[in-house]
Amino acid sequence: MAEKIPTTSKQWNVTGSDGFDSLKFTEQAVPELGDNQVLVKIRGVSLNSRDILVAQGTYPWKVKPDVIPGSDGAGVVLKIGKNVTRFQPGDQVITMLNQQHLGGSLDPKTMRYGLGASVDGTLRTVGAFDEQGLVAMPQGLSFAEAATLTCAGLTAWNALFGLQGRPLMAGQWVLTQGTGGVSLFAIQFAKAVGAKVIATTSSNEKSKILKEKLGVDHIVNYRETPNWGEKAKSLTGGAGVDLVVEVAGPSSLKQSVESVKMDGIISVLGFVGGMESKEPLPSILECWMSLFTARGIWVGSRLQLEDMCRAIEGNPQKLRPIVDKVFKLEELKDALGYLASGNHQGKVCIEVP
Amino acid sequence: MAEKIPTTSKQWNVTGSDGFDSLKFTEQAVPELGDNQVLVKIRGVSLNSRDILVAQGTYPWKVKPDVIPGSDGAGVVLKIGKNVTRFQPGDQVITMLNQQHLGGSLDPKTMRYGLGASVDGTLRTVGAFDEQGLVAMPQGLSFAEAATLTCAGLTAWNALFGLQGRPLMAGQWVLTQGTGGVSLFAIQFAKAVGAKVIATTSSNEKSKILKEKLGVDHIVNYRETPNWGEKAKSLTGGAGVDLVVEVAGPSSLKQSVESVKMDGIISVLGFVGGMESKEPLPSILECWMSLFTARGIWVGSRLQLEDMCRAIEGNPQKLRPIVDKVFKLEELKDALGYLASGNHQGKVCIEVP
Amino acid sequence: MAEKIPTTSKQWNVTGSDGFDSLKFTEQAVPELGDNQVLVKIRGVSLNSRDILVAQGTYPWKVKPDVIPGSDGAGVVLKIGKNVTRFQPGDQVITMLNQQHLGGSLDPKTMRYGLGASVDGTLRTVGAFDEQGLVAMPQGLSFAEAATLTCAGLTAWNALFGLQGRPLMAGQWVLTQGTGGVSLFAIQFAKAVGAKVIATTSSNEKSKILKEKLGVDHIVNYRETPNWGEKAKSLTGGAGVDLVVEVAGPSSLKQSVESVKMDGIISVLGFVGGMESKEPLPSILECWMSLFTARGIWVGSRLQLEDMCRAIEGNPQKLRPIVDKVFKLEELKDALGYLASGNHQGKVCIEVP
Amino acid sequence: MAEKIPTTSKQWNVTGSDGFDSLKFTEQAVPELGDNQVLVKIRGVSLNSRDILVAQGTYPWKVKPDVIPGSDGAGVVLKIGKNVTRFQPGDQVITMLNQQHLGGSLDPKTMRYGLGASVDGTLRTVGAFDEQGLVAMPQGLSFAEAATLTCAGLTAWNALFGLQGRPLMAGQWVLTQGTGGVSLFAIQFAKAVGAKVIATTSSNEKSKILKEKLGVDHIVNYRETPNWGEKAKSLTGGAGVDLVVEVAGPSSLKQSVESVKMDGIISVLGFVGGMESKEPLPSILECWMSLFTARGIWVGSRLQLEDMCRAIEGNPQKLRPIVDKVFKLEELKDALGYLASGNHQGKVCIEVP
């Protein structure tokens, strides 16, 4: 607990927009702590494709000049500002991406403070964070594992349980796509609450982790079965899946619509499959023609993150985050490159000693 | 109460698909009552564009041969089958469209029994209905007014309050389109619970009923203001509307998306504006890019209808259904023609003495 | 499927109020089937303490003269009335206690039709039931197991998930009492959705089934630890349990209040512990003084039963009902006596060949 | 906007526990502003019985030595700390009682920071408040009116709409008790969303404001009708009220239980009627015997306060807070005495020029 408080922090900054070359690694003095700030020794970071966009200068939203990138972090509280009430030195904490999305609806105001873009992020050894933007880290996880909760974990949780009044229930069917971080979390959460999962994948090798490790009920290879939506529907006995965790975007939306049950839900989370599409995308009118609800999601709130952390702590075997590979802080460029290659199954992380 | 029970019923049947000429009006014997059936003297019917499609033979779903059309009806119970428990002779009742959608999610099974299409409907003087498909009529309404609740009323109610956990709340903004039956009900319900309403319309004449009679907060003429979505957003102070009651379809979806708040809701109810569109429709991916929820709706459940009837009974001034014009039963073809002309403001009804 | 339809049914009737001596077992003709009735060959029945009260003539609510007792039943559809739409011959079904509680709030009207009290019940070989009062039986269960879902299963499900908007979530703490049917179901459902369970019991022998078979997280012997409420609170880390499944009544309410978290829920299900209490019971004002919600429950609705059946079907290992002992139909008095002795762990059932 | 920033503040402190004599009024230097604090010129305060208890030294929870009392305040932002993001100078704001109850469940941690008890409150001319504990003031209200929202308004809102998934709906029946601040707000909110209200009162004089000004549907004089619970039930047509706003406590609980509908809600808010009772209070087991939900409430969260402020802003006529009498800041003792006398109808306030 009585850890010595460093006076300098090693940190990455995005100093331009020349791709990863803009990333500079330096050592800086730790600035004075604000009254409501918490000084955190970062011990684990997890990377997201958003970090690639920020590092490359192609992130479509506001980025602070020379920003320290990284939204996902886990570490130990070293020191607290004089008005801090939420934490004590020695506490283990994780960061939130939307620093001000405490609960209720996301709004443009709460989106303005995005960690690792408009606000300095987690890719450093020591940093000061607003106490409102941190949450107690679940016990039983490594720091790298805990860091994955910030974005991938919370997005998946929100996708499954975030439509108030219609959370995923035991016995319902969920469809997930691929083996990215959000999809793996969605599978884990779904299985942990007794739901059934159909997962799409492009490779029989990746099927293993899905079936053996995660207990997915059915796997559909979307290359071998281009009409995987219809296939998924038939696997449920004909009614369709209750909830689709739609991450691929244009390349998959039509099949997702095919797969979903009448009055089911499609949680729309982005377009990791790229923006290209061979055919016109299903329009919003399709919600009426096929009778379902499509819900766009951007991460989640602090209240949701707290609910999720409690679920993880209460289910240590089932809900251990899946980390594909761990890099050192100074290897950030390699780590981002590996992430960009798309060969991972689960999260790409950084550990700081 | 001790009404004499007729032995014959005058009724309309759809006998072919030659447009309104297929509609035949005859007198038939009242058949024996089933154990769980209720014999109803129909006193009021309200018409929907669905009735035009059924009459013309262009309804895209299953239609029973020689069906008696009409989903919306209100009347008096004449007699009950021996196992009926829900009603007594003398009770006033209204019909449900989806005879078996009692509560929870709509599913293909409960959609199979649509009054006036796959099951004989309300355009007759006397009819037997399953006790499960009827609901007590709210006090204080005429039979024609009460009949409008079956489809237009319930669809509007579901659009505003049907997303479990996220019903419309006082102080929120609703956007409605035009002066059709569903839109007028949506305005009335929204105002009755303290919400604020922006209504689009094409004519300054129709603005009157909206503003003076219904208390709409702002009216936007969509012909004069093609970018009415942006206009609506600015009228809310910049955040956008909380809920759009989208009835027009292709011609309006893009503006609806423009108008809606982050994390807002678009209730998608059909395409009374026709299926043509000058530009590509917003795709489901837009739910993520602009962060909102799009929810397709098909009428609603008996539980919702009962909630709505209670609301109507408790707010007799504010929630009196708006009937544009009343026809006689034998004038059905004229009534359907008038409905098809699109000149109505509120519901087109039939009254039976 | 083409089962021969019997013309007679063996059945129990409650013919007076002389205790179990009033129970008579006879063979009667199967009456004509109503238009909306389903003829069911009963294959499994499960017994509840309510059946003891009905048999003894001490049930406090309305009992039909000479009623056939039994609310819980599972069997096979032999034949359907001419207007039946929900089932086909050969379907496997289970019964509902409140024959008319289809969804939404329980009300006095829907309570009037209680199977095995005001309406003839399941303790017979063949019976006609209203199609609305039956639900498809989950696959993978024996008939005796399936019969336990009607009351014990549904009550437990409602206790955990029935407060709309606040269902039990993964990682939350549940407190259960004893090894009666409702409590064991509550443990199973809670564990199946990733919650943590503290169970009270009076015997170390019963602890085995709780811990080894059901995976309860902590067991508190309420005889050895009279202040088990406080103990349970400390086992959660000090905050208290999120939800108490309160079945014992006067003897346990005070401890339940001690155990519950701020803003937690106490589902109040009756008084199997008897109506006597050494100390005054906590009053409703306690809800405010300790800040929690107390919710009285009476079984549940058909919509909830359907949700539960889907959960059971999707989790065949975890959610197999626990049957203590199975009797033959003609052994009903022995079975009720065994149930009354209180030595069971799980449900006491009847099987009919 | 460019208001001059005072260097001193006039303020009340509770300096002992000798009743109102412990209240001292002095002028103190305005301390330096914390990084996340907002300096507010207080313009309106509203008083609660809690303030009497704090002033008298009889408040049962933690009180800071020499605390500045007052939880309810409205004013203008003079200056913001360097890390403040939620407000700008010139903004009009209101205070929250539970400074850290931002959303979700109340917990002991968020209860620790109660304005005017464990944290310095609003009975001063200028004060620094944590930005998280303030909310934008609804437009169209005076400062005294706005101050009433903090406790009385939010408590009433929570009582009606706070049970997630079961908010009060149009057409439902609400029962309120007396003419205290919470009860009047509950009546106003209920009527604004189309619900029906039965209000109890002890005086025919007070009936006027209830009926003429607030549009209460039925009034029951509880002195003339001691069985007012039964009376209220009959006024609803026999089913009972959907929701009771129970503020009186022991003297009324039994009647509240009599009045409530099967599956209805009793929001339990305290005991302004005193702790004495002629008869034993209904126990929590009554929730099961009469089948209802009893929910204890302590004010509400920031998310709820924001929802409420939006509702008030959108319904300026219907939702204008009812202020009985306004005092000057230096007249605090008189104001508290007047409040203690119980003769008010609506809120007792302070205005600061």
Side-chain angles (χ1 to χ4, degrees), chain C residues 284 294-296, chain D residues 257 260-261 263-264 266 286-287 290-294:
Chain C
I284 292 172
R295 175 175 172 254
Chain D
V257 169
V260 79
K261 194 178 185 166
D263 206 26
I266 302 181
E286 193 64 41
C287 294
S290 299
L291 289 172
F292 61 86
T293 294

Side-chain angles (χ1 to χ4, degrees), chain A residues 17-193:
Chain A
S17 51
D18 321 326
F20 293 169
D21 287 345
S22 303
L23 285 167
K24 304 294 176 203
F25 194 53
T26 62
E27 187 157 4
Q28 304 289 337
V30 170
E32 210 187 338
L33 200 58
D35 298 343
N36 283 73
Q37 286 185 330
V38 169
L39 195 69
V40 179
K41 180 168 171 49
I42 300 289
R43 298 289 312 278
V45 179
S46 115
L47 299 175
N48 298 295
S49 47
R50 175 177 178 270
D51 299 317
I52 298 174
L53 301 180
V54 168
Q56 288 176 332
T58 55
Y59 191 61
W61 291 283
K62 194 191 150 191
V63 177
K64 177 183 178 260
D66 295 322
V67 71
I68 299 172
S71 56
D72 299 12
V76 181
V77 173
L78 295 171
K79 195 176 154 184
I80 60 174
K82 65 178 180 189
N83 292 337
V84 165
T85 61
R86 288 171 47 83
F87 300 101
Q88 290 297 327
D91 286 355
Q92 298 185 340
V93 293
I94 59 174
T95 55
M96 285 171 60
L97 183 141
N98 284 325
Q99 290 277 298
Q100 303 199 346
H101 187 200
L102 305 183
S105 274
L106 190 64
D107 66 43
K109 246 182 289 176
T110 60
M111 278 190 83
R112 245 186 277 151
Y113 300 90
L115 208 65
S118 49
V119 173
D120 279 331
T122 57
L123 285 160
R124 46 180 159 169
T125 55
V126 177
F129 299 89
D130 190 292
E131 65 168 327
Q132 300 295 341
L134 300 171
V135 160
M137 176 174 144
Q139 290 175 20
L141 301 186
S142 76
F143 290 103
E145 287 167 345
T148 68
L149 303 179
T150 301
C151 281
L154 183 51
T155 301
W157 181 268
N158 192 356
L160 300 187
F161 306 109
L163 191 57
Q164 296 149 263
R166 295 198 55 195
L168 181 68
M169 290 170 69
Q172 290 187 326
W173 286 96
V174 175
L175 183 135
T176 64
Q177 300 166 347
T179 54
V182 172
S183 298
L184 293 190
F185 267 117
I187 293 168
Q188 289 179 296
F189 290 139
K191 294 307 298 174
V193 302

Side-chain angles (χ1 to χ4, degrees), chain A residues 221-269:
Chain A
N221 186 315
Y222 62 82
R223 289 203 209 282
E224 296 168 4
T225 312
N227 292 332
W228 50 265
E230 200 185 324
K231 174 71 180 168
K233 192 166 204 165
S234 74
L235 287 169
T236 66
V241 302
D242 297 88
L243 194 148
V244 178
V245 181
E246 169 59 62
V247 299
S251 61
S252 60
L253 264 172
K254 188 160 181 296
Q255 294 305 315
S256 291
V257 169
E258 290 292 325
S259 74
V260 79
K261 194 177 185 168
M262 186 176 288
D263 206 25
I265 300 167
I266 301 180
S267 289
V268 188
L269 310 184

Side-chain angles (χ1 to χ4, degrees), chain D residues 99-174:
Chain D
Q99 289 277 298
Q100 303 199 347
H101 188 200
L102 305 183
S105 274
L106 190 65
D107 66 43
K109 246 183 289 175
T110 61
M111 277 191 83
R112 245 186 278 151
Y113 301 91
L115 210 63
S118 48
V119 173
D120 280 330
T122 58
L123 285 160
R124 44 179 161 170
T125 55
V126 177
F129 299 89
D130 190 292
E131 65 168 325
Q132 301 294 341
L134 301 172
V135 160
M137 174 173 145
Q139 290 176 19
L141 301 186
S142 75
F143 288 103
E145 287 167 345
T148 68
L149 303 179
T150 302
C151 281
L154 183 51
T155 301
W157 181 268
N158 192 357
L160 300 188
F161 307 110
L163 190 56
Q164 295 149 263
R166 295 198 55 196
L168 181 69
M169 290 170 68
Q172 290 188 326
W173 285 97
V174 176

Side-chain angles (χ1 to χ4, degrees), chain C residues 17-323:
Chain C
S17 51
D18 322 326
F20 293 170
D21 287 346
S22 304
L23 285 167
K24 305 290 176 208
F25 192 53
T26 61
E27 187 155 2
Q28 304 289 337
V30 170
E32 210 187 337
L33 200 59
D35 299 342
N36 283 74
Q37 287 185 329
V38 170
L39 194 70
V40 179
K41 180 169 171 48
I42 299 290
R43 298 290 311 278
V45 179
S46 116
L47 300 176
N48 298 296
S49 46
R50 174 179 178 270
D51 299 316
I52 298 175
L53 300 180
V54 169
Q56 290 176 331
T58 56
Y59 191 61
W61 290 284
K62 194 191 149 191
V63 177
K64 177 180 177 259
D66 295 322
V67 72
I68 299 172
S71 55
D72 301 12
V76 182
V77 173
L78 294 172
K79 193 176 156 186
I80 60 174
K82 66 178 179 188
N83 292 337
V84 164
T85 60
R86 288 171 48 82
F87 300 101
Q88 291 297 328
D91 285 355
Q92 298 184 340
V93 293
I94 58 174
T95 55
M96 286 171 61
L97 183 141
N98 285 323
Q99 289 277 299
Q100 303 199 348
H101 188 200
L102 305 183
S105 275
L106 189 65
D107 65 44
K109 246 181 290 175
T110 61
M111 278 189 83
R112 245 186 277 152
Y113 301 91
L115 210 64
S118 48
V119 173
D120 279 331
T122 58
L123 284 160
R124 45 179 159 170
T125 55
V126 177
F129 299 89
D130 190 292
E131 64 167 328
Q132 300 295 340
L134 300 172
V135 160
M137 175 174 144
Q139 291 175 17
L141 301 186
S142 75
F143 289 103
E145 287 168 345
T148 68
L149 303 179
T150 301
C151 281
L154 183 51
T155 301
W157 181 268
N158 191 357
L160 299 187
F161 307 110
L163 190 58
Q164 295 150 263
R166 295 196 57 195
L168 180 69
M169 290 171 67
Q172 291 188 327
W173 286 96
V174 175
L175 184 135
T176 63
Q177 300 167 348
T179 54
V182 173
S183 298
L184 294 191
F185 267 118
I187 292 168
Q188 288 179 297
F189 290 138
K191 293 307 297 176
V193 302
K196 306 190 79 169
V197 176
I198 299 170
T200 69
T201 182
S202 62
S203 100
N204 293 331
E205 192 207 347
K206 287 181 180 175
S207 296
K208 264 194 217 164
I209 188 178
L210 295 171
K211 199 122 194 179
E212 286 166 26
K213 181 153 183 179
L214 299 180
V216 159
D217 296 273
H218 297 288
I219 290 169
V220 181
N221 185 314
Y222 62 84
R223 290 204 208 281
E224 296 168 4
T225 313
N227 293 331
W228 51 264
E230 201 184 323
K231 174 69 180 170
K233 192 167 202 165
S234 75
L235 286 169
T236 67
V241 301
D242 297 88
L243 194 148
V244 178
V245 182
E246 169 59 60
V247 298
S251 61
S252 61
L253 264 173
K254 189 161 180 296
Q255 294 305 314
S256 292
V257 169
E258 290 293 325
S259 74
V260 79
K261 195 176 185 169
M262 186 176 286
D263 206 25
I265 299 167
I266 301 181
S267 290
V268 187
L269 311 186
F271 51 94
V272 301
M275 274 307 285
E276 272 173 50
S277 173
K278 279 171 272 177
E279 42 195 356
L281 301 190
S283 86
I284 292 172
L285 195 60
E286 192 64 41
C287 294
W288 179 73
M289 293 191 288
S290 299
L291 289 171
F292 61 86
T293 293
R295 175 175 172 254
I297 286 172
W298 179 244
V299 200
S301 72
R302 192 172 86 194
L303 289 172
Q304 290 177 307
L305 184 55
E306 287 165 345
D307 283 346
M308 185 184 83
C309 285
R310 191 176 45 186
I312 286 171
E313 216 170 62
N315 293 275
Q317 276 93 41
K318 289 183 205 161
L319 295 180
R320 181 154 222 115
I322 297 184
V323 173

